[in-house]
Amino acid sequence: MKRIFVINPGCTSTKVAVYEDEKAVWTSDGLHKPEEIERFSGVNDQYEYRKDFVLNLLKEAGIPLQFDAVIGRGGLLKPLHGGVYAVNELMKHDLWHAKHQHVCNLGSLIADEIAHECHCPAFMADPVVVDEMMTRARYTGLPFMKRESIFHALNAKAASRRYARDIGKKYEELNIVVAHLGGGICVSAHNHGKVIDVNNALNGDGPIAPERSGTLPADQLVRLCFSGKYTEAQIMKMLAGYGGCQALLGMKDMREISRRAEAGEEPFHEVLEAMLYTVSKQIGAMAVALAPFGGTDAIILTGGIAYSNYCVDDIKRQVAFLAPVVVLPGEGEMESLAFNALGALNGELPIHEYK
């Protein structure tokens, strides 16, 4: 039996879990008080606080630092193929100096320090920068701009593997469109185990989302940038953080938005209808990406919003003609991290070197 410790930092929590092989024997949502997070000026400044927070959770639960592996959620590194990576010095350097600052960058850093105390390996798996895009999907209409692959790779691949297992097949045998529906929304085209196209779910591309603007009219965005009314930082926040439903409705709580939309309350109904329409259009686009490779075997709806029957039914109505729609709500990230670590320890999954 392998004992694995999983660390998954998010904006308002640091989720942790202990697995014995594939079974979770202890979990904690690791919720942070808003005032604790708000006192830090940047993501890197949260490192010591989050590390001590995790260690205190273990101490309070009476769990000794005795693990066969520690795995952390991957961060915004250089583009990588999917899979399991051993945490090394170069990876830690790049996480500390990442171009894009996000709290997920801390996952592997904390994992490495705890693993050092346990004298066991530290891993990262399927980070948000998994890049397996086909060449033609990278192009834009300008030679000095290329589309980037930044998305919820961990959950998208985990949901795909779960679906494949449920139908008695391997992930690498299927063509799947996966819509991760969360605070950010990504829709990815999976061709036999590789994500050949996906919208950039971080920096303003794809569907309208609870807190992200999605694709905007280019001319209007350019004029906004040169209007003199906003700083670069303010406009970037409009794209991710204060865009989407947050900008249109003044909130991003999808349970409340769905409830009010289902009741026919405006503008909630109209805005949610528009958001789900953009999601459905993106699913259609990813079905086109898979068409040359034999079409789409299934469309998976996952993430927190997939718990909403109202939202799921609306998307199904628009895309069910393309392929069977499968609903796998939630994120499954902890389970997927543990699965990857166990596979690496057992020699079933290769351990890649970050270089």
Side-chain angles (χ1 to χ4, degrees):
M1 181 187 70
K2 297 296 190 296
R3 192 170 169 84
I4 299 161
F5 186 44
V6 180
I7 305 170
N8 184 359
C11 294
T12 59
S13 68
T14 304
K15 296 178 182 178
V16 289
V18 176
Y19 279 76
E20 292 179 352
D21 287 343
E22 296 182 358
K23 182 181 179 182
V25 296
W26 176 80
T27 64
S28 173
D29 288 337
L31 296 174
H32 299 291
K33 295 178 180 178
E35 58 269 23
E36 287 292 322
I37 298 299
E38 289 168 3
R39 64 190 173 96
F40 297 103
S41 58
V43 166
N44 287 353
D45 298 327
Q46 298 179 31
Y47 174 75
E48 290 294 336
Y49 163 75
R50 297 235 185 196
K51 182 197 71 175
D52 292 342
F53 180 84
V54 167
L55 291 172
N56 284 334
L57 287 175
L58 289 171
K59 184 177 180 180
E60 290 169 4
I63 297 172
L65 293 179
Q66 296 173 356
F67 305 113
D68 294 292
V70 184
I71 186 165
R73 183 183 175 192
L76 289 154
L77 295 157
K78 64 185 70 173
L80 300 169
H81 283 279
V84 181
Y85 289 80
V87 178
N88 60 21
E89 292 303 314
L90 178 59
M91 180 188 294
K92 290 192 289 182
H93 173 274
D94 288 356
L95 287 168
W96 279 117
H97 301 90
K99 174 184 175 183
H100 301 294
Q101 290 297 308
H102 190 281
V103 71
C104 65
N105 292 351
L106 301 180
S108 299
L109 294 170
I110 297 172
D112 182 71
E113 185 158 345
I114 293 176
H116 182 74
E117 294 187 38
C118 299
H119 306 289
C120 71
F123 298 129
M124 172 200 74
D126 290 335
V128 292
V129 290
V130 165
D131 187 350
E132 300 161 341
M133 287 173 65
M134 56 185 175
T135 300
R136 63 179 177 269
R138 301 181 189 277
Y139 270 79
T140 73
L142 294 173
F144 48 84
M145 287 189 186
K146 299 292 183 185
R147 294 182 64 238
E148 295 180 301
S149 177
I150 303 178
F151 70 111
H152 305 85
L154 184 62
N155 185 44
K157 284 181 173 281
S160 299
R161 290 191 184 100
R162 202 183 333 162
Y163 168 70
R165 182 185 60 200
D166 289 347
I167 65 170
K169 292 193 175 183
K170 294 182 179 179
Y171 170 47
E172 292 77 12
E173 296 174 339
L174 299 171
N175 285 341
I176 306 172
V177 174
V178 181
H180 172 99
L181 309 172
I185 292 176
C186 66
V187 184
S188 47
H190 300 239
N191 171 226
H192 296 162
K194 291 186 177 181
V195 178
I196 61 171
D197 199 357
V198 63
N199 64 289
N200 183 329
L202 178 66
N203 292 329
D205 180 34
I208 299 168
E211 59 180 37
R212 295 171 194 176
S213 65
T215 301
L216 297 171
D219 61 332
Q220 295 181 49
L221 180 59
V222 169
R223 284 196 289 270
L224 186 71
C225 292
F226 286 90
S227 68
K229 296 179 180 179
Y230 306 100
T231 65
E232 178 182 347
Q234 287 173 322
I235 289 175
M236 292 302 290
K237 277 292 186 181
M238 292 179 193
L239 298 182
Y242 296 101
C245 293
Q246 181 63 49
L248 296 167
L249 298 172
M251 69 167 69
K252 57 184 178 182
D253 183 341
M254 288 306 301
R255 287 172 295 187
E256 179 65 9
I257 291 170
S258 296
R259 183 188 68 78
R260 297 171 78 166
E262 190 171 4
E265 185 177 343
E266 297 295 0
F268 296 91
H269 176 265
E270 185 171 272
V271 168
L272 185 56
E273 188 177 62
M275 187 188 92
L276 299 174
Y277 172 63
T278 62
V279 171
S280 300
K281 283 203 299 182
Q282 191 71 26
I283 290 172
M286 293 302 103
V288 169
L290 292 174
F293 305 100
T296 303
D297 295 308
I299 297 165
I300 297 175
L301 306 182
T302 185
I305 298 174
Y307 283 112
S308 167
N309 291 332
Y310 180 82
C311 293
V312 164
D313 289 345
D314 191 78
I315 295 172
K316 280 184 176 180
R317 178 178 56 81
Q318 299 181 79
V319 305
F321 73 97
L322 293 167
V325 179
V326 179
V327 183
L328 298 174
E331 297 185 344
E333 293 180 338
M334 306 299 280
E335 178 186 356
S336 179
L337 286 168
F339 168 85
N340 278 282
L342 181 63
L345 289 173
N346 290 338
E348 297 166 355
L349 294 174
I351 302 172
H352 301 291
E353 179 186 3
Y354 180 80
K355 54 187 179 180

